[in-house]
Amino acid sequence: MCGIVGIVGRNDATEVLLNGLEKLEYRGYDSAGIYVSQGLNKGSLVKVKGKIADLRAAVHQEDVGNIGIGHTRWATHGQPSKANAHPQSSADGRFYLVHNGVLENYESLKAQYLNDIKLQSQTDTEVAVNLVATLVQKEKMSVLAAWQKMVQLVKGSYAFVLIDRENPQQLYVAKNKSPLLIGTGATFNGVCSDSLALLNVTNSFIELHDGDTAVISSQEIKIFGQKNEAVKRKTYSVTLNQDDLGKGTYPYYMLKEINEQPAVLRFLEKTYLNETGKAVFDSRLLDQLAQAEKIYFVAAGTSYHAGLVGKALIEKLAQIPVSVELASEFGYHLPILAKNPFFIFLSQSGETADSRQVLLKIKKLGYPSLTITNVDHSTLSREADFTVLLHAGPEIAVASTKAYTAQITVVALLAQALRQKLDPDVINFDLKQQLSLAANGIQTLIDQQELIEQLAKDYFSKTRNAFYIGRGQDYYASREAALKLKEISYIQTEGFAAGELKHGTISLIELGTPVIALITDPETADLTRGNLKEVEARGAHTLTIASENLAQSKDQIIVPQIDPLLSPLLTVIPAQLLAYFATIQRGYNVDQPRNLAKSVTVE
Ligand code: F6R
């Protein structure tokens, strides 16, 4: 949520900021702005309501400088508008601030310190920048002291970067709960919410911890810990292929990412399975998992849906009970936990605030944890005891696709490793073969785009609502299928347990309501077909996605044969494509749906 970038020591600062914001646009895209300095008390502030392309168009030739800050916003306090866009400036015009996060006590701080100031925006950020100005003006503090005092006064989450017009050679930085990294170069330094923003100028980064503040010039980086003591933080390199960052020849990132799924699965198979088919993970991780009386998946959104599929994989393969928990609920309503619990955090971004508050709580209780994430060095990865990477490459489209299939695959691999550890003689689940079938099957389904595009037109061009139904793994895949369709096409869609419809929700079925059934499990196939008949009798427009061995002549989409435990890897593909085409046909932006952002760093 919200993307921040700052740079000092580059004559092309404006371009570095705009380029960085383009890479961060997935984090929010309702308004944006930059401030670049042309020297003492000279600078350009450009802000727009809209996207980075609008910001680029609003930037003039003279808006140059060698230091600057930029921001792309996902509104929390105050609607998207030019006035509420960042950078926010202090009333005296001296300080410019960008912020990602939420300040819980901004109203009381405003009442206590800023009575004489007329604020121009509805943002909490404007309070923070005016606090710095007030502490400098009235309490005669140095800017650094005022900066650190402001950070102590605010409560909540923040990644902050500030420029002082009277000393435009350095960036003041602070971080708590929201992600922020320092990017380093020989003659410049920068700061960003995600390394993607500065990857075209550096691949060397320094991680900041919660409570850190820093002062960054072109030649020097000073970092301070919570008590303002000088601290050193870890430097690391990011090795990412620049090609991974663009759309290539695809019209949207989502389509590119859907197409990457077979390659991701094959890469995971190669990474985590050896030649003999043995799943290989850190032995200390497997030891701790094997001792768990119960495993808890904690996640949100699509990752939560991957956890639901993962539950059956671990329970069936490793015979360890699993509970799947919504992070935003679990942390505040901890149930009675099993003895020796083990927590697995599933998170594409590794930054989700809802998941992180649970991680912090269970760490305090002394329980072991693993983060399964796509982003190395992300917060959840750093803070858990173990990390397993998804290796899916950057996922830029807001609607998650390849991260979901990668999460299921990694959990399957982990389940297999546990099974091999707990019962080395029993290896009757050939995961290598299954994953290879899955990768090929995904490709077969992707190759049916023309059919799926037509079905999207037939089923979704006019409808207001829709249902996906299924049982077992098909039900869990239905939950994800429904999320895909609703979040980008705005068709109100529910993923429902097929047998549960008749207990109330069937009253929503009207003439023409699309009901899409996923049928891949021989044990329940007939039951789900019966439920389809029930909705057809009430006028529903039904569509069936069935596996080869269960297919009937009228089924519209046939998915290749695979073990039903892993069927969501395949059934989700037509659902992703149906969502994609329905959204295009309805005229919406596939990659940037309204009201949403990727990487949800507020609770
Ligand atoms: C939906 C989607 C979200 C995320 C959720 C958790 O397509 O992407 O539902 O899955 O916000 O994000 P992560 O996985 O980054 O923790």
Side-chain angles (χ1 to χ4, degrees), residues 456-469:
K457 207 175 266 165
D458 297 346
Y459 282 79
F460 301 131
S461 54
K462 295 216 178 63
T463 190
R464 263 188 328 117
N465 59 353
F467 289 89
Y468 273 92
I469 60 169

Side-chain angles (χ1 to χ4, degrees), residues 216-287:
I216 300 174
S217 66
S218 60
Q219 298 296 334
E220 201 179 13
I221 296 169
K222 289 189 205 150
I223 306 177
F224 307 94
Q226 285 191 4
K227 297 191 181 113
N228 298 337
E229 75 286 13
V231 290
K232 282 237 169 309
R233 297 292 182 221
K234 213 162 85 194
T235 302
Y236 65 97
S237 313
V238 174
T239 43
L240 258 185
N241 187 344
Q242 282 289 323
D243 294 348
D244 288 344
L245 305 182
K247 283 197 288 248
T249 54
Y250 292 96
Y252 285 98
Y253 281 105
M254 185 181 178
L255 190 59
K256 173 175 180 257
E257 290 158 9
I258 289 172
N259 272 273
E260 285 169 345
Q261 292 175 104
V264 173
L265 253 70
R266 290 191 184 108
F267 187 80
L268 288 172
E269 185 209 305
K270 260 200 284 167
T271 306
Y272 294 116
L273 282 182
N274 69 15
E275 304 81 54
T276 62
K278 193 165 177 340
V280 188
F281 290 92
D282 183 337
S283 57
R284 289 169 310 138
L285 166 63
L286 295 180
D287 286 345

Side-chain angles (χ1 to χ4, degrees), residues 459 513-517 532-533 535-536 539-544 556:
Y459 282 79
T513 305
V515 178
I516 303 119
L532 265 186
K533 289 275 171 237
V535 293
E536 271 169 10
H541 190 195
T542 58
L543 190 161
T544 310
Q556 291 89 337

Side-chain angles (χ1 to χ4, degrees), residues 299-304 346-352 355 380 395 397-401 403 407 480 483-484 487 596-600:
T302 289
S303 297
Y304 172 76
L346 281 172
S347 175
Q348 187 280 132
S349 64
E351 299 293 348
T352 300
S355 299
L380 287 167
E395 192 181 65
V398 164
S400 183
T401 52
Q407 282 168 338
E480 173 58 11
L483 178 59
K484 283 297 85 82
E487 70 178 323
L596 289 174
K598 213 165 177 76
S599 192
V600 186

